[in-house]
Amino acid sequence: PFASIATKTPGLRFSELLPRQAELSDKFSVLRSMAHTGGGHPAGSLQLLSGDPDAQDKITPVYPDFMTVAHYLRSGQPRKLPNYVGVNPIIRYDNFTIAGPAYLGPAYEPFAVTGDPSAPNFKVPNIGLSDPQLAERLRERIQLRRSFDAYRRDVDQSGVMLAMDEFEAQALSLLTSPEAARAFDLSREEPQVRDRYGRNQWGQQCLMARRLVEAGVEIVTTTFDGPLCGRVANWDDHAVNHHVFEAFQFRAPYFDQAVSALVED
């Protein structure tokens, strides 16, 4: 039901529903070779994200996803911000977990930003204490707790204590870091920039991703799902869920604007 339009790339045509990305086709590559052998969406996701060759769906991953591996290889360095942030993170499909650290342990999960960043009252909780005295008092309490903690960490085989140490370090950094408060604060953007991305969840997720990269975060993921997808809140379009053409016509303007703004910006 939709026409195709020319793009900036000779021989490449897009749906007429993606005019902005058609104008930017010289800035990205279209991968035509992506396929999987999974029997369902979860198995396909695991093949793509973690390289698991199994065609059977699994409730949880066996192998860590590639974002986690990159995070793991860059861990151990002092940072003001987490090095892996999921802005509406890649985690689940229905009741299946399709991404995660697996055997690397929970310390390498992404710092998750949830909710709708376009909402007027949106705020990432527990970021950047504004009172320096409170921040210093928190540091002192953390140090006191550590001095009382006589538990032998070397007997812990589960990775739980390591995860606690990693979480504590990350939490302390986030609570006391003005850099973190600035990075997550979309109100610091000019109104016209926020408009350019789209005053909706997907647009503002992309804008936050850009701000985090500028602040030094090396791995940022975001998921486009929820109400902007249409009837079933994801991209699983077929007759019993949401008619594929109606679904794409509904979501294409949000998708086209958010992605093209991010590429341009």
Side-chain angles (χ1 to χ4, degrees):
F2 310 119
S4 68
I5 56 176
T7 70
K8 278 198 172 181
T9 307
L12 178 66
R13 299 183 70 82
F14 280 0
S15 165
E16 65 176 326
L17 301 179
L18 300 175
R20 301 184 189 218
Q21 291 184 52
E23 286 295 312
L24 294 171
S25 68
D26 57 333
K27 299 291 192 296
F28 54 81
S29 297
V30 177
L31 303 181
R32 300 184 182 273
S33 58
M34 297 188 71
H36 69 79
T37 61
H41 300 301
S45 300
L46 292 175
Q47 286 190 11
L48 172 68
L49 298 171
S50 70
D52 186 343
D54 193 352
Q56 297 298 312
D57 289 342
K58 297 182 179 71
I59 294 295
T60 56
V62 174
Y63 305 109
D65 60 67
F66 70 86
M67 300 87 70
T68 302
V69 172
H71 177 38
Y72 173 80
L73 293 174
R74 297 284 286 165
S75 62
Q77 304 178 32
R79 300 178 185 275
K80 297 291 187 182
L81 284 156
N83 201 38
Y84 177 17
V85 179
V87 183
N88 190 20
I90 301 172
I91 295 176
R92 303 191 69 79
Y93 177 86
D94 288 341
N95 63 324
F96 293 86
T97 301
I98 60 170
Y103 55 77
L104 290 178
Y108 298 101
E109 292 177 351
F111 177 78
V113 177
T114 58
D116 182 356
S118 69
N121 59 346
F122 174 80
K123 186 177 181 181
V124 179
N126 302 320
I127 299 293
L129 289 173
S130 56
D131 187 336
Q133 290 185 330
L134 284 176
E136 184 56 35
R137 193 178 309 157
L138 177 64
R139 292 190 189 96
E140 291 173 354
R141 287 179 175 179
I142 291 290
Q143 189 57 46
L144 180 63
R145 191 202 59 75
R146 285 174 177 166
S147 69
F148 284 133
D149 185 4
Y151 188 84
R152 287 176 56 85
R153 277 168 163 72
D154 58 347
V155 303
D156 176 47
Q157 300 297 318
S158 66
V160 172
M161 295 303 294
L162 171 62
M164 288 175 63
D165 289 345
E166 292 282 344
F167 292 152
E168 183 179 84
Q170 178 173 284
L172 180 61
S173 178
L174 286 169
L175 279 168
T176 60
S177 169
E179 293 91 343
R182 286 194 296 269
F184 286 99
D185 186 359
L186 292 179
S187 68
R188 292 176 174 268
E189 292 288 337
E190 293 294 330
Q192 58 266 32
V193 174
R194 300 195 68 177
D195 293 341
R196 179 182 176 188
Y197 278 83
R199 294 280 186 154
N200 55 68
Q201 185 170 351
W202 295 357
Q204 300 306 295
Q205 284 175 195
C206 285
L207 178 55
M208 181 173 288
R210 192 219 75 201
R211 288 185 60 83
L212 292 170
V213 171
E214 286 180 331
V217 180
E218 293 181 328
I219 307 156
V220 183
T221 63
T222 194
T223 306
F224 289 169
D225 61 8
L228 297 184
C229 270
R231 200 165 74 198
V232 292
N234 61 36
W235 295 70
D236 185 13
D237 301 321
H238 48 80
V240 298
N241 282 353
H242 195 162
H243 190 289
V244 62
F245 298 132
E246 293 176 0
F248 200 67
Q249 188 171 25
F250 176 80
R251 72 175 67 111
Y254 308 111
F255 172 72
D256 195 34
Q257 181 177 5
V259 172
S260 60
L262 180 60
V263 172
E264 289 171 337
D265 208 9

